[in-house]
Amino acid sequence: MTRYPDLYLYIGGEWRQSAHGQPVLNPADECTIGTVPIATRSDLDAALAASADGFKIWSKTSPARRAEIMLKASALMRERIEEIAYSITLEHGKPIAQARAEVVRGCEFFEWDAGEGLRTYGRVIPSEPGVRYIVLHQPIGMVAAFSPWNFPMSQPSRKIAGALAAGCSIILKAAEETPAGAIHIARAFHDAGLPPGVLNLVFGIPSEISEYLIPQDQTRLIAFTGSTAVGKHLTEIAARHMKPVLMELGGHAPVIVCDDVDPMAAAITSAMRKARNAGQVCTSPTRFYVQEPLFRAFTKAFVEKALTVKVGNGFEPSTQMGPLANHRRVEAMEMLVADARSKGARVLAGGERLSGRGYFFPLTVLAELPEDARAMREEPFGPLALINPVSSLEEAIEKANGLPFGLAAYAFTHSARNVDRLIDGVEAGNLSINTLEASVAETPFGGVKDSGHGREGGVEGLAHYTTVKNVSHCVA
Ligand code: NAD
């Protein structure tokens, strides 16, 4: 039987209620589906004490045993896929097939990092006789992590997987608007035999929790995914206390469509990808720069596809795009569309919220936007596709690099020469050519410029969760 889980804090291996809570809404009908507990200062102190104990145990647990528990928890989540996907669709709104895919992706993060935890190799540096120089990668300590609402299960997975694989304990503040994904993860780790205190899950007032946890002596890494503004704020607090940060922040992904591709195929792929998660993805393809000979055909095909995208309740099998996750996103879409329209952009599809209950907004196509339209500069984080013509690849690359963001960038081309110019010219942490997939568990994901600092996934992912110790051992 699938049902939305009861929502608790998870501290020291125990589920805890709180005197205060806040409602969790279903974005498809705005009805309350649960109450998320709000952690008090004493809950946070309990989490700090528990995570100190958890770190002592987990950092001394063998990497093989850590991997075994992580893989067992992941297997449990795969078994519980229907229950977890149900919760995700109920609290976030995305189509149930996308919720199932998210659970699989979250499990892949655990499985990849479990393997990488076995390979945090150090090295021995050649030295004169009688001395050994040994470089070790040791768990950094307790991690304070903050995950957002757009992927309720796979966003927390990234941070928990990195911390646990490296031998760290973690206090995760997951998103209050979509808490069940993280609850399911904690339940799977509890059932898999994770020692108490290694993973602690809290919810509450985000600023109060981050401002309390970051300065604590035992906090050794701050890992955050969310907006650039909040990421900069947390980085400032961390800097005052000399704490390292791992920041996965906003994006405004450019898509360069070169004149050597089939515009129809590129447009259809792009429209469907734009609809994924209703565009609420930091890597969502957003600014389309299309070489002039293809501009009309690409735009026409994109609009035709966009108009077919079925928007509705994520539990309906025919739904391709669910509601936006909260009212703030709907208001942001309305503001960005109105601003673009007033500055001369053409609205070719969508553009207005759908009537009735729920935060529904259609896939929206804007074309020929002036550079000063707010949508061209601010991350829409919603289903807006912005299509502009460019006269050359050089112009496209210059425009792609024209914002402070540098997370994902995409291009369609079959020319090896173009690919070379893109690789050298585009400022982004992730460049994808002829595919709109920006990252998988085995590749490093992260941004440059205002899109953040550090990488999750790949062989690079665990580096942030470890610290380097050089041992000079004189045996003479
Ligand atoms: P927001 O900036 O208020 O919050 C973004 C996230 O940060 C939320 O999860 C929130 O709980 C958390 N947060 C906010 N203040 C915090 C604080 N002081 N300490 C710790 N955590 C804090 O905006 P929002 O309306 O929730 O989301 C919209 C914006 O957030 C989007 O425009 C997008 O740029 C960004 N976002 C990015 C991602 C991503 O994957 N990079 C995910 C979700 C949201």
Side-chain angles (χ1 to χ4, degrees):
M1 243 280 279
T2 43
R3 66 173 191 88
Y4 194 71
D6 296 328
L7 304 171
Y8 298 105
L9 310 173
Y10 181 69
I11 296 173
E14 289 176 357
W15 299 100
R16 275 199 185 207
Q17 251 312 346
S18 169
H20 301 285
Q22 83 182 36
V24 180
L25 303 185
N26 174 353
D29 60 13
E30 303 172 49
C31 290
T32 300
I33 53 175
T35 303
V36 66
I38 300 294
T40 60
R41 185 59 66 87
S42 79
D43 292 322
L44 297 181
D45 286 336
L48 285 163
S51 71
D53 294 342
F55 182 68
K56 279 187 204 137
I57 298 167
W58 195 241
S59 58
K60 302 277 183 298
T61 301
S62 75
R65 177 68 183 143
R66 287 182 209 145
E68 190 185 328
I69 291 177
M70 290 179 71
L71 294 175
K72 189 165 174 197
S74 185
L76 287 172
M77 286 181 260
R78 283 182 184 271
E79 271 173 31
R80 299 170 184 173
I81 185 167
E82 287 307 319
E83 198 183 343
I84 305 175
Y86 171 85
S87 301
I88 293 174
T89 293
L90 197 66
E91 66 184 10
H92 180 276
K94 68 185 71 182
I96 189 78
Q98 290 182 25
R100 289 191 193 103
E102 180 184 336
V103 177
V104 171
R105 188 171 161 85
C107 290
E108 287 168 355
F109 295 150
F110 286 118
E111 290 151 12
W112 173 264
D113 276 349
E116 280 305 294
L118 302 173
R119 293 184 282 272
T120 48
Y121 303 132
R123 67 188 195 278
V124 178
I125 296 171
S127 59
E128 63 197 83
V131 182
R132 290 267 182 270
Y133 299 129
I134 305 165
V135 179
L136 301 170
H137 297 272
Q138 298 183 318
I140 195 167
M142 191 214 89
V143 179
F146 304 86
S147 60
W149 44 260
N150 57 337
F151 290 96
M153 189 269 181
S154 67
Q155 289 279 21
S157 300
R158 285 268 202 204
K159 313 240 173 303
I160 298 170
L164 268 51
C168 302
S169 59
I170 179 169
I171 301 177
L172 173 75
K173 190 207 76 63
E176 290 71 27
E177 287 171 320
T178 57
I183 296 269
H184 281 295
I185 295 173
R187 190 157 70 85
F189 273 99
H190 185 89
D191 295 347
L194 186 74
V198 178
L199 165 62
N200 304 279
L201 176 61
V202 297
F203 304 98
I205 311 299
S207 56
E208 286 179 11
I209 295 181
S210 55
E211 279 159 31
Y212 190 62
L213 292 184
I214 292 173
Q216 299 289 334
D217 284 348
Q218 77 186 77
T219 302
R220 297 298 167 86
L221 172 70
I222 290 84
F224 172 79
T225 297
S227 61
T228 294
V230 175
K232 284 185 175 177
H233 172 62
L234 299 190
T235 300
E236 279 170 18
I237 302 175
R240 280 203 291 279
H241 300 274
M242 200 47 74
K243 313 275 183 179
V245 297
L246 172 53
M247 291 281 150
E248 301 292 358
L249 308 179
H252 202 307
V255 184
I256 298 174
V257 182
C258 296
D259 58 10
D260 63 325
V261 299
D262 171 2
M264 293 264 292
I268 290 166
T269 305
S270 300
M272 292 317 295
R273 191 68 179 180
K274 183 73 234 183
R276 174 176 171 250
N277 223 37
Q280 301 162 117
V281 189
C282 49
T283 58
S284 189
T286 298
R287 285 176 294 145
F288 292 84
Y289 294 114
V290 185
Q291 282 200 276
E292 265 153 8
L294 302 191
F295 177 70
R296 280 172 65 100
F298 178 90
T299 306
K300 182 169 177 287
F302 197 117
V303 168
E304 281 170 8
K305 190 69 193 170
L307 291 171
T308 70
V309 169
K310 176 128 188 334
V311 180
N313 189 309
F315 288 110
E316 293 291 330
S318 59
T319 293
Q320 293 169 298
M321 196 172 94
L324 303 193
N326 53 54
H327 68 89
R328 299 188 301 285
R329 297 311 332 133
V330 178
E331 283 146 23
M333 295 311 106
E334 287 181 325
M335 179 276 288
L336 292 173
V337 172
D339 173 77
R341 202 194 293 264
S342 74
K343 289 173 177 153
R346 293 191 295 136
V347 182
L348 301 178
E352 282 173 22
R353 73 164 74 191
L354 304 183
S355 59
R357 289 182 75 83
Y359 308 126
F360 292 100
F361 200 91
L363 188 50
T364 293
V365 184
L366 306 177
E368 293 170 90
L369 299 93
E371 289 296 325
D372 68 344
R374 289 182 65 171
M376 291 296 287
R377 316 201 70 76
E378 297 171 25
E379 180 180 29
F381 218 69
L384 298 195
L386 320 172
I387 311 181
N388 274 357
V390 284
S391 59
S392 66
L393 179 56
E394 279 60 40
E395 184 192 348
I397 293 174
E398 195 185 316
K399 290 199 159 140
N401 293 341
L403 294 188
F405 298 110
L407 192 57
Y410 308 95
F412 288 98
T413 181
H414 300 303
S415 152
R417 201 180 146 78
N418 285 350
V419 171
D420 224 41
R421 282 145 82 191
L422 288 159
I423 290 173
D424 286 344
V426 172
E427 296 173 348
N430 294 76
L431 171 65
S432 305
I433 295 162
N434 300 330
T435 168
L436 296 174
E437 182 61 71
S439 75
V440 292
E442 57 267 38
T443 56
F445 175 69
V448 298
K449 304 198 286 187
D450 275 3
S451 291
H453 177 77
R455 295 293 177 269
E456 294 186 311
V459 296
E460 290 82 358
L462 288 198
H464 306 279
Y465 294 91
T466 61
T467 186
V468 175
K469 183 176 283 170
N470 176 51
V471 179
S472 305
H473 182 192
C474 187
V475 288

